[in-house]
Amino acid sequence: MSRLVVVANRVPLGDGSRSPPGGLAVALQETLAAEGGLWFGWSGRVVAGPAGELQQRKAGAITFATLDLSRIDHGEYYTGFANRCLWPAFHYRVDLATDCGRNFDGYIRVNRLFARKLLPLLDRDDDIWVHDYHLIPMGEILREAGAHHRIGFFLHTPLPAAEILVTIPAHERLMRALCAYDLVGFQTAGDLRAFHDYVRYEAGGEVLADGTVRAYGRICRADVFPIGLDVDNIVAAGEAAMDSPSLRRLRDSLQGREMIIGVDRLDYSKGLIERFRAIETFLEIYAASRNRVAFLQIAPPSRAEVPEYREIRRQLEGEAGRINGQFGEPDRVPLHYLNRSFRRTTLAGYFRLSRAALVTPLRDGMNLVAKEFVAAQDAEDPGVLILSRFAGAARQLSAAVIVNPYDTRAVADAIHRAIAMSGGERKERWGDMMKAVRGYDIARWRNDFLAGLRGPAGAGAAAT
Ligand code: ADQ
């Protein structure tokens, strides 16, 4: 079988050091652990001089190949174009997409640098799978350099509606580059529809009944591959964690209250300010239930070099302090707010201990936390998932309590409903959600994408 080459912005160093929490890293780790192959990308290190030399390291079946980035490259490609243009625009935050006019050249330059360093590592019959918004031009650049391989791309974020996409000055360059892949994967049917709309109405291309897309003189295929979990792993972690000392300590500290948990990277797309306001509204309106619940919000900082992330962190600290100042008692506070990472097994235990989870992003490609919460539950006494309609996961987890995260009162009501929900209703909802989580797990996601890429129609071709 051909070797899998995964190209992603960030590669864990493979030396046992902790990689930053994030859905993409988690999914790729699981994918490569199963398939073996090469994982290529940025080391996460920024160096004073020019970009560093390629470093390679093998761990089990995975070879890690990483590059350090220069300060300028990091600033223009990563902090600038990727995270102050594409990330906010793809999450419908055009107001925060302040670097779209600048830094596109830096974005292309680093994509070229990656391609140049990757090419000598490729074997003839490798299959290349490029990930996420940082590397949209990668496939086109590799093709221009003569790579004849099958090259696929998966977008972990949403693809916004065409009228949002066209606010990015380089939108045509980006979409043309997407069409250079053999296969483009999206999280949801909505993202695929946005792509089709762009192809039809902006690019003047066509979408054929079998999913083939013709645009810019190219042919590619596009489809939906909703990312999933290594379910058994989370189930086992949830069960095992219940006896750990840290779980016991947390359970004791609850003093009989029900725990409601949130776990998110500290990112404005996750709707944390709105969530804190909903918690405040709940504490105000449902005063009689105040002493029945404790909220735990875990939010490890990410992208701290981007000013908007520092700002959201500052705002959340203020909100948490205000809520606890208003509703706390000398011996207990309603909201525990922690900015740190936890082991995945510990998180699974926290999920299992919780009566409900608040997963209320304003936009999210999928949201793996929603699925992890479901997988970690005790089948005999499962918790309730309160899930934003704007998370990709809502398409599959329709048995969750679905909310509009902008509607503070509705989220407060959903919290109340969750703590009052009968065991029978909780089990029924959980059963439906667990079926969906099991039905499309990480292996299915990986296998479906790679089967699509390696399938008979997988050879990239110029349209005639
Ligand atoms: P993220 O935006 O990072 O992922 P998500 O899908 O929820 O969002 O994944 C976060 C991951 O990090 C989860 O596996 C979670 O358990 C872990 N994590 C979060 N906080 C943690 C903490 N404090 N300690 C340890 N681990 C923590 C992006 C897209 C998503 C998409 C994924 C995968 O934005 O929409 O679902 O990629 O495609």
Side-chain angles (χ1 to χ4, degrees):
M1 198 175 54
S2 47
R3 182 178 68 152
L4 178 63
V5 175
V6 164
V7 187
N9 168 62
R10 186 68 194 272
V11 178
L13 291 178
D15 56 0
S17 66
R18 283 179 123 180
S19 53
L24 192 148
V26 169
L28 294 188
Q29 184 74 50
E30 283 165 347
T31 292
L32 276 163
E35 275 271 320
L38 175 67
W39 189 348
F40 178 94
W42 176 40
S43 63
R45 284 190 293 249
V46 180
V47 290
E53 285 308 301
L54 193 72
Q55 291 172 4
Q56 293 195 61
R57 171 190 285 272
K58 206 163 162 37
I62 311 177
T63 302
F64 298 87
T66 55
L67 277 180
D68 300 341
L69 284 181
S70 73
R71 283 222 172 90
I72 291 179
D73 285 349
H74 178 256
E76 296 183 0
Y77 151 80
Y78 180 76
T79 310
F81 198 75
N83 283 322
R84 295 189 86 192
C85 176
L86 295 182
W87 176 270
F90 282 12
H91 289 84
Y92 288 76
R93 291 300 302 270
V94 176
D95 58 317
L96 299 181
T98 49
D99 266 16
C100 288
R102 295 177 287 169
N103 295 331
F104 182 65
D105 291 348
Y107 176 72
I108 294 288
R109 188 177 66 243
V110 173
N111 270 265
R112 288 219 165 94
L113 169 72
F114 277 15
R116 212 168 47 242
K117 298 283 185 180
L118 174 64
L119 277 162
L121 304 183
L122 293 178
D123 293 335
R124 257 187 87 73
D125 55 358
D126 284 345
D127 295 322
I128 305 171
W129 189 0
V130 180
H131 289 264
D132 229 5
Y133 60 100
H134 315 84
L135 298 171
I136 292 172
M138 186 76 179
E140 185 179 50
I141 294 168
L142 288 169
R143 292 251 182 269
E144 283 165 5
H148 58 274
H149 305 77
R150 287 184 282 232
I151 314 180
F153 177 84
F154 187 79
L155 185 65
H156 291 257
T157 69
L159 187 74
E163 58 267 37
I164 299 285
L165 211 44
V166 297
T167 62
I168 301 170
H171 64 91
E172 192 185 331
R173 289 280 302 277
L174 294 166
M175 299 306 276
R176 180 189 290 271
L178 265 191
C179 295
Y181 289 98
D182 295 301
L183 178 63
V184 181
F186 296 105
Q187 300 271 28
T188 69
D191 302 317
L192 180 63
R193 195 164 55 239
F195 180 59
H196 286 167
D197 283 353
Y198 185 98
V199 164
R200 288 196 184 102
Y201 306 119
E202 286 292 327
E206 57 176 338
V207 179
L208 307 183
D210 65 353
T212 306
V213 167
R214 284 171 181 263
Y216 307 112
R218 292 170 175 168
I219 297 179
C220 71
R221 280 172 306 119
D223 213 336
V224 177
F225 304 90
I227 198 164
L229 307 177
D230 179 345
V231 182
D232 289 334
N233 192 303
I234 306 276
V235 170
E239 284 169 4
M242 294 314 280
D243 289 329
S244 72
S246 91
L247 245 283
R248 258 183 268 130
R249 270 203 312 278
L250 180 58
R251 197 188 287 118
D252 291 347
S253 77
L254 289 173
Q255 302 170 30
R257 294 175 295 171
E258 306 270 25
M259 187 162 89
I260 302 193
I261 194 166
V263 175
D264 309 76
R265 272 187 314 101
L266 214 172
D267 192 301
Y268 49 77
S269 67
K270 302 292 182 185
L272 292 168
I273 298 279
E274 291 76 3
R275 190 180 306 167
F276 280 12
R277 300 230 164 105
I279 290 172
E280 184 177 16
T281 304
F282 167 82
L283 294 168
E284 259 163 26
I285 296 176
Y286 295 104
S289 299
R290 247 179 235 166
N291 289 327
R292 286 184 56 203
V293 292
F295 293 90
L296 172 62
Q297 176 63 54
I298 296 174
S302 70
R303 305 175 195 167
E305 59 277 55
V306 181
E308 288 75 19
Y309 287 75
R310 294 199 293 272
E311 175 57 21
I312 181 101
R313 183 170 186 180
R314 196 191 58 74
Q315 282 180 17
L316 284 167
E317 279 162 7
E319 291 290 317
R322 202 168 51 75
I323 292 169
N324 283 334
Q326 196 179 342
F327 297 102
E329 299 288 342
D331 62 339
R332 56 169 70 173
V333 291
L335 173 59
H336 297 261
Y337 175 50
L338 307 179
N339 296 124
R340 51 166 285 212
S341 284
F342 289 86
R343 300 164 70 94
R344 302 193 75 213
T345 44
T346 308
L347 280 185
Y350 289 177
F351 288 147
R352 197 175 170 99
L353 188 62
S354 302
R355 168 55 70 224
L358 279 165
V359 181
T360 54
L362 305 179
R363 287 280 161 187
D364 217 328
M366 178 54 62
N367 196 298
L368 290 175
V369 169
K371 294 184 174 181
E372 289 165 3
F373 176 77
V374 171
Q377 294 307 303
D378 176 355
E380 294 309 313
D381 185 23
V384 179
L385 176 63
I386 300 172
L387 179 61
S388 163
R389 58 176 294 168
F390 303 118
R395 309 276 170 145
Q396 293 168 293
L397 305 181
S398 53
V401 173
I402 302 288
V403 292
N404 173 358
Y406 295 95
D407 187 342
T408 305
R409 174 65 202 252
V411 177
D413 291 345
I415 296 169
H416 186 247
R417 192 171 160 204
I419 56 174
M421 194 177 282
S422 71
E425 183 177 351
R426 283 189 280 119
K427 277 191 197 170
E428 194 174 320
R429 286 175 179 270
W430 177 80
D432 286 354
M433 291 191 287
M434 193 60 177
K435 206 165 146 198
V437 168
R438 278 211 180 275
Y440 209 101
D441 63 1
I442 190 78
R444 172 97 190 266
W445 173 76
R446 173 185 74 239
N447 292 339
D448 277 10
F449 188 94
L450 292 176
L453 182 64
R454 290 168 172 161
T464 47

Short mmCIF file of all heavy atoms in Angstrom, two decimals, residues 10-20 29 39 41-45 55-59 62-68:
data_model
loop_
_atom_site.label_atom_id
_atom_site.label_comp_id
_atom_site.label_asym_id
_atom_site.label_seq_id
_atom_site.Cartn_x
_atom_site.Cartn_y
_atom_site.Cartn_z
N ARG A 10 1.02 22.35 12.06
CA ARG A 10 1.73 22.08 13.31
C ARG A 10 1.95 20.59 13.49
O ARG A 10 1.01 19.81 13.36
CB ARG A 10 0.88 22.65 14.45
CG ARG A 10 1.51 22.59 15.80
CD ARG A 10 2.70 23.51 15.91
NE ARG A 10 3.47 23.19 17.08
CZ ARG A 10 3.27 23.69 18.28
NH1 ARG A 10 2.30 24.55 18.47
NH2 ARG A 10 4.02 23.35 19.29
N VAL A 11 3.17 20.24 13.80
CA VAL A 11 3.52 18.84 14.03
C VAL A 11 4.05 18.72 15.45
O VAL A 11 4.91 19.49 15.85
CB VAL A 11 4.62 18.39 13.03
CG1 VAL A 11 5.03 16.95 13.29
CG2 VAL A 11 4.14 18.56 11.61
N PRO A 12 3.54 17.77 16.23
CA PRO A 12 4.12 17.58 17.56
C PRO A 12 5.57 17.13 17.38
O PRO A 12 5.89 16.48 16.38
CB PRO A 12 3.26 16.51 18.20
CG PRO A 12 2.56 15.82 17.08
CD PRO A 12 2.51 16.78 15.93
N LEU A 13 6.41 17.45 18.31
CA LEU A 13 7.83 17.18 18.11
C LEU A 13 8.17 15.70 18.15
O LEU A 13 9.26 15.30 17.77
CB LEU A 13 8.67 17.96 19.11
CG LEU A 13 8.63 19.48 18.85
CD1 LEU A 13 9.44 20.24 19.89
CD2 LEU A 13 9.14 19.81 17.45
N GLY A 14 7.23 14.88 18.60
CA GLY A 14 7.47 13.44 18.57
C GLY A 14 8.49 13.00 19.60
O GLY A 14 9.02 11.90 19.55
N ASP A 15 8.78 13.88 20.55
CA ASP A 15 9.79 13.55 21.56
C ASP A 15 9.14 13.38 22.93
O ASP A 15 9.77 13.47 23.96
CB ASP A 15 10.84 14.67 21.62
CG ASP A 15 10.21 16.02 21.91
OD1 ASP A 15 8.96 16.07 22.05
OD2 ASP A 15 10.94 17.01 21.99
N GLY A 16 7.81 13.18 22.90
CA GLY A 16 7.11 13.00 24.16
C GLY A 16 6.68 14.30 24.80
O GLY A 16 5.93 14.33 25.76
N SER A 17 7.14 15.45 24.25
CA SER A 17 6.71 16.73 24.81
C SER A 17 5.24 16.94 24.45
O SER A 17 4.75 16.42 23.47
CB SER A 17 7.55 17.89 24.27
OG SER A 17 7.31 18.03 22.89
N ARG A 18 4.57 17.69 25.27
CA ARG A 18 3.12 17.84 25.08
C ARG A 18 2.83 18.74 23.90
O ARG A 18 3.41 19.80 23.77
CB ARG A 18 2.50 18.44 26.33
CG ARG A 18 2.37 17.44 27.42
CD ARG A 18 1.78 18.11 28.61
NE ARG A 18 0.56 17.42 29.00
CZ ARG A 18 -0.17 17.79 30.02
NH1 ARG A 18 0.14 18.84 30.72
NH2 ARG A 18 -1.26 17.13 30.33
N SER A 19 1.92 18.31 23.05
CA SER A 19 1.51 19.18 21.96
C SER A 19 0.33 20.00 22.44
O SER A 19 -0.36 19.63 23.39
CB SER A 19 1.14 18.36 20.74
OG SER A 19 0.21 17.39 21.09
N PRO A 20 0.08 21.15 21.81
CA PRO A 20 -1.00 22.00 22.29
C PRO A 20 -2.34 21.31 22.05
O PRO A 20 -2.49 20.56 21.10
CB PRO A 20 -0.88 23.25 21.42
CG PRO A 20 -0.13 22.82 20.22
CD PRO A 20 0.73 21.67 20.63
N GLN A 29 -2.93 12.55 15.07
CA GLN A 29 -2.18 11.59 15.88
C GLN A 29 -2.82 10.21 15.75
O GLN A 29 -2.15 9.20 15.53
CB GLN A 29 -2.19 12.05 17.35
CG GLN A 29 -1.37 11.20 18.29
CD GLN A 29 0.13 11.42 18.10
OE1 GLN A 29 0.58 12.56 18.08
NE2 GLN A 29 0.88 10.35 17.94
N TRP A 39 4.71 12.66 8.81
CA TRP A 39 3.93 13.82 9.28
C TRP A 39 4.84 15.03 9.15
O TRP A 39 5.86 15.12 9.84
CB TRP A 39 3.49 13.59 10.71
CG TRP A 39 2.50 14.60 11.24
CD1 TRP A 39 2.15 15.78 10.67
CD2 TRP A 39 1.74 14.49 12.45
NE1 TRP A 39 1.21 16.42 11.44
CE2 TRP A 39 0.94 15.65 12.54
CE3 TRP A 39 1.66 13.54 13.46
CZ2 TRP A 39 0.07 15.88 13.62
CZ3 TRP A 39 0.80 13.78 14.53
CH2 TRP A 39 0.02 14.92 14.60
N GLY A 41 5.53 19.30 8.76
CA GLY A 41 5.02 20.65 9.01
C GLY A 41 5.94 21.46 9.92
O GLY A 41 7.11 21.14 10.09
N TRP A 42 5.36 22.49 10.52
CA TRP A 42 6.10 23.40 11.39
C TRP A 42 6.30 22.75 12.76
O TRP A 42 5.39 22.08 13.28
CB TRP A 42 5.30 24.70 11.51
CG TRP A 42 5.86 25.71 12.45
CD1 TRP A 42 7.17 26.03 12.64
CD2 TRP A 42 5.11 26.54 13.35
NE1 TRP A 42 7.29 27.02 13.58
CE2 TRP A 42 6.04 27.36 14.03
CE3 TRP A 42 3.75 26.70 13.62
CZ2 TRP A 42 5.64 28.31 14.98
CZ3 TRP A 42 3.35 27.63 14.56
CH2 TRP A 42 4.30 28.43 15.22
N SER A 43 7.48 23.00 13.34
CA SER A 43 7.80 22.43 14.66
C SER A 43 7.10 23.16 15.80
O SER A 43 7.08 22.66 16.92
CB SER A 43 9.32 22.54 14.89
OG SER A 43 9.67 23.93 14.92
N GLY A 44 6.59 24.37 15.51
CA GLY A 44 6.05 25.20 16.59
C GLY A 44 7.10 26.15 17.13
O GLY A 44 6.80 27.00 17.98
N ARG A 45 8.36 26.05 16.63
CA ARG A 45 9.43 26.92 17.12
C ARG A 45 9.66 28.08 16.16
O ARG A 45 9.58 27.92 14.94
CB ARG A 45 10.74 26.14 17.27
CG ARG A 45 10.77 25.25 18.50
CD ARG A 45 12.16 24.69 18.72
NE ARG A 45 12.53 23.78 17.66
CZ ARG A 45 12.68 22.47 17.82
NH1 ARG A 45 12.51 21.91 19.00
NH2 ARG A 45 13.00 21.70 16.80
N GLN A 55 14.17 18.83 10.28
CA GLN A 55 14.57 17.85 11.30
C GLN A 55 13.66 16.65 11.23
O GLN A 55 12.45 16.82 11.10
CB GLN A 55 14.48 18.49 12.68
CG GLN A 55 15.54 19.56 12.83
CD GLN A 55 15.37 20.38 14.09
OE1 GLN A 55 14.51 20.11 14.89
NE2 GLN A 55 16.22 21.37 14.22
N GLN A 56 14.25 15.47 11.32
CA GLN A 56 13.42 14.27 11.23
C GLN A 56 13.62 13.39 12.44
O GLN A 56 14.71 13.32 12.99
CB GLN A 56 13.80 13.48 9.96
CG GLN A 56 13.43 14.21 8.70
CD GLN A 56 13.45 13.29 7.49
OE1 GLN A 56 12.72 12.32 7.45
NE2 GLN A 56 14.30 13.59 6.54
N ARG A 57 12.56 12.75 12.82
CA ARG A 57 12.59 11.87 13.99
C ARG A 57 11.53 10.80 13.79
O ARG A 57 10.46 11.08 13.26
CB ARG A 57 12.24 12.74 15.19
CG ARG A 57 12.01 12.03 16.48
CD ARG A 57 11.45 13.03 17.48
NE ARG A 57 12.47 13.94 17.96
CZ ARG A 57 13.23 13.66 19.01
NH1 ARG A 57 13.10 12.53 19.66
NH2 ARG A 57 14.13 14.52 19.44
N LYS A 58 11.87 9.60 14.20
CA LYS A 58 10.91 8.50 14.01
C LYS A 58 10.38 8.08 15.38
O LYS A 58 11.13 8.00 16.35
CB LYS A 58 11.62 7.33 13.34
CG LYS A 58 10.70 6.42 12.56
CD LYS A 58 11.50 5.55 11.60
CE LYS A 58 10.74 4.35 11.10
NZ LYS A 58 9.34 4.44 10.83
N ALA A 59 9.09 7.86 15.47
CA ALA A 59 8.50 7.33 16.70
C ALA A 59 7.47 6.29 16.29
O ALA A 59 6.43 6.64 15.72
CB ALA A 59 7.85 8.45 17.51
N ILE A 62 5.50 6.32 12.82
CA ILE A 62 5.39 7.69 12.29
C ILE A 62 6.76 8.34 12.20
O ILE A 62 7.54 8.32 13.15
CB ILE A 62 4.50 8.58 13.19
CG1 ILE A 62 3.18 7.88 13.51
CG2 ILE A 62 4.26 9.94 12.54
CD1 ILE A 62 2.28 8.65 14.46
N THR A 63 7.06 8.93 11.03
CA THR A 63 8.25 9.78 10.92
C THR A 63 7.77 11.23 10.98
O THR A 63 6.87 11.62 10.23
CB THR A 63 8.97 9.54 9.58
OG1 THR A 63 9.32 8.16 9.50
CG2 THR A 63 10.22 10.39 9.47
N PHE A 64 8.36 12.00 11.87
CA PHE A 64 8.02 13.42 12.00
C PHE A 64 9.09 14.22 11.28
O PHE A 64 10.28 14.02 11.54
CB PHE A 64 7.99 13.84 13.46
CG PHE A 64 6.95 13.11 14.28
CD1 PHE A 64 7.23 11.89 14.88
CD2 PHE A 64 5.69 13.66 14.46
CE1 PHE A 64 6.27 11.22 15.64
CE2 PHE A 64 4.73 13.00 15.21
CZ PHE A 64 5.02 11.79 15.81
N ALA A 65 8.69 15.09 10.38
CA ALA A 65 9.66 15.98 9.72
C ALA A 65 9.20 17.40 9.96
O ALA A 65 8.08 17.78 9.58
CB ALA A 65 9.71 15.68 8.22
N THR A 66 10.05 18.19 10.61
CA THR A 66 9.61 19.53 11.01
C THR A 66 10.61 20.61 10.62
O THR A 66 11.82 20.37 10.51
CB THR A 66 9.42 19.61 12.55
OG1 THR A 66 10.64 19.19 13.17
CG2 THR A 66 8.28 18.73 13.01
N LEU A 67 10.06 21.79 10.47
CA LEU A 67 10.85 22.99 10.18
C LEU A 67 10.59 24.01 11.26
O LEU A 67 9.44 24.16 11.70
CB LEU A 67 10.32 23.63 8.89
CG LEU A 67 10.76 23.13 7.54
CD1 LEU A 67 10.07 23.96 6.48
CD2 LEU A 67 12.27 23.27 7.42
N ASP A 68 11.61 24.78 11.64
CA ASP A 68 11.38 25.96 12.47
C ASP A 68 11.06 27.11 11.51
O ASP A 68 11.50 27.12 10.38
CB ASP A 68 12.65 26.32 13.26
CG ASP A 68 13.09 25.18 14.17
OD1 ASP A 68 12.26 24.31 14.46
OD2 ASP A 68 14.27 25.18 14.58
#
